[in-house]
Each structure stands twice: as structure tokens, then as C-alpha cells.
Amino acid sequence: MYPGSFDPITLGHVDVIERAAQMFETVTVVIAKNSKKTPLFDEHERLAMATASLVHLPNVSVTVHAGLVVDFAQEHGVDVIVRGLRAVSDFEYEFQIALMNRKLHPDVSTIFLMPHERYTYLNSSIIRELGRYRQDISDFVPLAVIEAMQRKFA
Ligand code: ADP
């Protein structure tokens, strides 16, 4: 499983998912419904954008989950959690979550994949900010996100 907020999904996320899809038989992208952040897009919009952006990957599915990531993993027989690492600055936060998740469910492991370096400076909050000011985001997000962003800020 690849859990996250995906508010919205970016080409950095897609890059990580494509790598995971080559390594695992199936990959489930799990959109967190109840993030501590107030999302720009609700979970239905985030699900629709992610699903449309991943149709080229037949072994990848997308779902929404309200609750702990490790509980989803236990309930669905997931044994690997994939997270993306862009820079050293991601490490401390990811390290804490991974160790806590392992403490909660020792049989679920977290692995980290690095995206192509062209996406290392990319995050969803920058995209939301650029979208708000109607900047060109076509180098950073899938088409479905460009369209959703245009509707949101029309
Ligand atoms: P969260 O809100 O849990 O941080 P995100 O949706 O922002 O979730 O990201 C999900 C995962 O994808 C995290 O592991 C994050 O580090 C990673 N990620 C986010 N943006 C990128 C990117 N541009 N390239 C690679 N990984 C990324």
C-alpha cells in the first residue's frame, strides 16, 4: 500500500507508484480521509484524480480510508507500506511514522522509494498554492489534476 493525503496527487507520487508497481504484484494507493490537515479537495475528488491518473497501471488500485494506516494494512493483508523520500528533510518525520507503525504491527514493513530527481522539490502544498494563483502546473501534475484545479478556482 502507498498511503498519503494526495491533495492533490502529483507526478512525484505517480513516479513512486510506477516504481512500486514494478516491484509488487499489486499496489493499493490509500487516500487518508481524516488527515490532520484540512484538505483543498475532499476525499471523493482526491480519489477521482488519483484513479484517473493511474489508469495506465493495471495492478494499481485506489481507495479511501478513514483511520490508521496500519489498521488498513492488517485488515487487508498488506505486508509492505511504501513511502516516498525526496530529501533528508523528509527523513525524520518518515522515520518516526515507520517505527511507530512497526511497533503497532511488527509484521508490516515500510520501504522508501526515491522519485526521479526532477520531482524532489515537488509537494502537494506548492501545487495548491500555484493553482490558487492560476499558474501553469502542467509540468508537475497529471491532466486530471489540472482540470480539477481549474474547476476549483474558476
Ligand atoms: P502525507 O500527507 O502523508 O505526507 P502525501 O500525499 O503528501 O502524504 O505524500 C504521500 C507520500 O508520498 C509521502 O511518503 C511523501 O513523502 C511522498 N511524496 C510526496 N511528494 C512526493 C514527491 N514529489 N516525490 C516523491 N514522493 C513524494
Side-chain angles (χ1 to χ4, degrees):
M1 68 183 289
Y2 180 43
S5 310
F6 304 105
D7 183 36
I9 190 167
T10 69
L11 292 180
H13 294 128
V14 174
D15 179 294
V16 167
I17 295 161
E18 285 169 347
R19 288 170 204 280
Q22 288 187 343
M23 299 173 65
F24 299 102
E25 244 170 67
T26 59
V27 176
T28 306
V29 175
V30 179
I31 298 175
K33 184 177 173 186
N34 53 345
S35 163
K36 55 183 180 290
K37 311 161 190 167
T38 307
L40 173 64
F41 293 100
D42 70 27
E43 66 271 18
H44 306 288
E45 294 171 309
R46 285 180 278 147
L47 176 73
M49 287 184 286
T51 304
S53 307
L54 299 167
V55 280
H56 62 294
L57 300 169
N59 60 337
V60 174
S61 59
V62 188
T63 190
V64 171
H65 173 69
L68 283 180
V69 161
V70 276
D71 289 342
F72 181 95
Q74 279 266 305
E75 286 158 22
H76 294 83
V78 169
D79 38 26
V80 177
I81 296 171
V82 173
R83 295 283 288 177
L85 268 191
R86 285 159 292 188
V88 179
S89 51
D90 281 340
F91 178 77
E92 200 159 341
Y93 173 71
E94 294 291 341
F95 185 66
Q96 285 176 0
I97 298 177
L99 289 186
M100 181 54 77
N101 285 342
R102 192 167 66 188
K103 172 90 180 140
L104 294 172
H105 289 302
D107 46 339
V108 181
S109 299
T110 301
I111 67 159
F112 297 96
L113 298 179
M114 283 165 284
H116 191 284
E117 59 270 19
R118 76 169 75 96
Y119 302 127
T120 53
Y121 58 92
L122 184 54
N123 67 52
S124 296
S125 101
I126 293 177
I127 294 302
R128 292 195 298 274
E129 202 62 9
L130 292 176
R132 207 180 295 281
Y133 294 101
R134 296 181 180 76
Q135 294 296 306
D136 180 9
I137 51 172
S138 55
D139 283 348
F140 313 122
V141 295
L143 185 61
V145 174
I146 300 174
E147 292 168 353
M149 201 68 97
Q150 284 168 347
R151 283 194 297 275
K152 180 77 58 186
F153 295 111

